[in-house]
Amino acid sequence: MKYLGINEIKEILPHRHPFLLVDYIEDYEPGEYAVGYKCVTYREDFFAGHFPQEPVMPGVLIIEALAQVGAVAVLMQEENKGKLGYFGGIKNCRFRRKVVPGDKLKLEARIIRQKGPVVVGEAIASVDGEVAVKAELTLAIGE
């Protein structure tokens, strides 16, 4: 298994607090997959305004976290180092479970096809083995 801490992730992704939504990468294979985690705490900035009476992580931020993990898998390829991954699309997205403070969100992205700068991946976010979100994400690799 290949591990990346927050400092290594920041060398790959341009995102910074509060928009860097991956705490660490547990395993990856460049151009194939990456598995990362987001440890969700009550102190997240978005909880102040997203259902303060019942804090729930916004679904769009879960999708963004999945895209960031997918981007790590793609941007670790030698030919993509130093480039950026832009959102290109979301298909077949389903939200199945709330993500709340205290959850350890597992983020898995597997590349299913790549043609030039366009990469499509299957992404799954889960908590304790229970799927929270599943989607097909498209990234465009650019300068």
Side-chain angles (χ1 to χ4, degrees):
M1 291 179 57
K2 301 173 186 171
Y3 178 89
L4 298 173
I6 194 68
N7 289 329
E8 291 91 359
I9 293 169
K10 287 166 63 175
E11 290 176 12
I12 301 164
L13 299 178
H15 306 79
R16 296 297 179 263
H17 179 80
F19 223 71
L20 180 56
L21 299 171
V22 181
D23 293 325
Y24 64 96
I25 299 291
E26 175 183 75
D27 193 18
Y28 67 93
E29 187 60 46
E32 292 185 31
Y33 71 90
V35 179
Y37 287 88
K38 166 72 177 156
C39 299
V40 182
T41 71
Y42 184 74
R43 299 179 76 91
E44 306 290 346
D45 292 332
F46 50 79
F47 285 136
H50 196 256
F51 307 147
Q53 71 283 3
E54 183 186 348
V56 175
M57 185 172 181
V60 295
L61 293 183
I62 299 171
I63 293 294
E64 174 63 27
L66 285 165
Q68 289 178 17
V69 168
V72 167
V74 174
L75 298 175
M76 289 296 292
Q77 292 177 282
E78 198 58 44
E79 65 269 24
N80 293 329
K81 288 189 176 181
K83 295 184 179 179
L84 297 173
Y86 298 99
F87 243 129
I90 304 168
K91 286 175 60 177
N92 303 319
C93 183
R94 296 290 179 263
F95 296 91
R96 300 181 179 176
R97 174 196 196 283
K98 291 189 289 187
V99 176
V100 299
D103 284 345
K104 185 176 180 181
L105 189 60
K106 183 176 185 179
L107 305 158
E108 302 173 85
R110 181 166 299 282
I111 307 308
I112 54 177
R113 56 184 182 277
Q114 183 170 356
K115 186 173 182 182
V118 178
V119 182
V120 178
E122 179 181 83
I124 299 171
S126 60
V127 177
D128 296 327
E130 186 180 350
V131 174
V133 179
K134 188 173 183 179
E136 185 178 292
L137 304 178
T138 302
L139 295 176
I141 306 304
E143 301 296 323

